[in-house]
Amino acid sequence: MRQIVLDTETTGLDPLQGHRIVEIGCVEIVNRKLTGRHLHIYLNPEREVDEAAFEIHGLSNEFLQDKSLFAQVAREFIEFINGAELIIHNAPFDVGFLDNELQRLQAGYKNIADYASIIDTLSMARKKHPGQRNNLDALCKRYGVDNSQRDLHGALLDAEILADVYLLMTGGQTDLSLSMEEPNREQQKEQRAALTREQLELRVIKASPTELEAHAQCLEMITKASNGNCLWLK
């Protein structure tokens, strides 16, 4: 299964008011493992960045003026995400901007949902943790993901952080407290299946002759000290 964790930064909040994308960050996951493959693009939005947006991501008009136009990278972007499952935090925001960019090109591109399925981790987190804060920083704290480098928002950094959060939220340890409920029979079956020899790569390290000798000497000392009651020799 191929998944792409995606994030964008923009000039403002609403594409219907002419706001554009200034950064796209994508991180690839295959079979729930980060592959190290990513796509990272800065874009010239062909308009000014709102001050409020600049305070969030720090991408200035001067920095963006010589970057690629979306039209120049659209094909590369679509090829990267095509057929994958997109993992996005607050997906309607990012997808709305991406759809707007594709439609502006008038080059026959479809909407993002026609190229990839979409999972909204914000909606997922709200169902999993109702009544709690579920922004990315709150989820990092909840799942123990290091976001100390996140002084400003950045599409690639946020995608990398979200990838860790998503993997923990959907398959890792999510609660440090011990459950008082016994797993049902179906859950026990799933747990046993997850521990089959075929799925585990266990490395067996045998003791060296020197280590075996030291172990025997230690047991001998324990035997003498316990008047012959060394449990490991029984």
Side-chain angles (χ1 to χ4, degrees):
M1 180 175 63
R2 182 171 183 263
Q3 297 172 303
I4 301 296
V5 185
L6 182 148
D7 188 56
T8 65
E9 299 298 339
T10 64
T11 62
L13 295 177
D14 190 351
L16 298 181
Q17 295 181 2
H19 285 293
R20 306 284 302 277
I21 295 175
V22 296
E23 185 184 9
I24 300 173
C26 299
V27 175
E28 184 183 61
I29 297 175
V30 176
N31 295 330
R32 293 188 57 80
K33 293 182 179 179
L34 291 163
T35 67
R37 187 172 176 233
H38 67 271
L39 179 68
H40 184 212
I41 303 168
Y42 289 113
L43 296 167
N44 179 351
E46 301 179 278
R47 58 153 293 156
E48 297 289 302
V49 177
D50 277 8
E51 185 63 29
F54 172 73
E55 291 176 0
I56 291 174
H57 54 60
L59 300 176
S60 66
N61 297 311
E62 293 74 21
F63 174 79
L64 297 168
Q65 64 183 356
D66 63 347
K67 301 301 183 285
S68 299
L69 303 179
F70 185 83
Q72 297 171 308
V73 303
R75 182 176 297 276
E76 178 187 11
F77 170 68
I78 292 298
E79 288 177 352
F80 190 82
I81 69 164
N82 192 34
E85 184 176 68
L86 297 183
I87 311 297
I88 309 173
H89 201 65
N90 191 15
F93 178 87
D94 299 87
V95 172
F97 268 94
L98 289 166
D99 284 346
N100 179 67
E101 294 287 354
L102 291 170
Q103 292 163 10
R104 287 174 63 97
L105 297 180
Q106 297 182 345
Y109 285 107
K110 303 175 183 178
N111 287 333
I112 292 297
D114 293 307
Y115 297 104
S117 58
I118 300 166
I119 290 180
D120 183 4
T121 51
L122 178 57
S123 177
M124 180 186 297
R126 284 172 174 167
K127 292 176 182 177
K128 199 173 183 66
H129 309 290
Q132 301 182 51
R133 295 176 65 243
N134 288 299
N135 60 34
L136 190 53
D137 286 332
L139 291 176
C140 285
K141 184 176 181 180
R142 188 171 301 142
Y143 289 101
V145 174
D146 181 11
N147 65 340
S148 57
Q149 297 182 2
R150 196 176 185 243
D151 295 328
L152 292 172
H153 288 229
L156 183 60
L157 176 61
D158 284 2
E160 291 172 340
I161 291 173
L162 180 59
D164 289 337
V165 168
Y166 170 76
L167 290 172
L168 287 168
M169 187 162 58
T170 57
Q173 184 176 349
T174 59
D175 191 348
L176 295 179
S177 63
L178 298 177
S179 174
M180 298 301 292
E181 298 179 359
E182 289 294 327
N184 59 39
R185 184 170 299 177
E186 206 55 38
Q187 289 173 327
Q188 291 176 335
K189 186 186 297 182
E190 291 175 0
Q191 290 170 359
R192 286 195 297 270
L195 294 174
T196 59
R197 184 178 298 277
E198 290 76 13
Q199 292 173 302
L200 291 174
E201 297 180 1
L202 297 178
R203 184 183 177 191
V204 178
I205 302 176
K206 295 183 178 180
S208 67
T210 301
E211 290 170 332
L212 289 173
E213 183 180 352
H215 178 64
Q217 292 174 356
C218 183
L219 292 182
E220 184 179 349
M221 292 173 56
I222 295 173
T223 300
K224 290 179 180 179
S226 62
N227 295 319
N229 290 317
C230 179
L231 296 176
W232 288 276
L233 293 177
K234 292 184 177 181

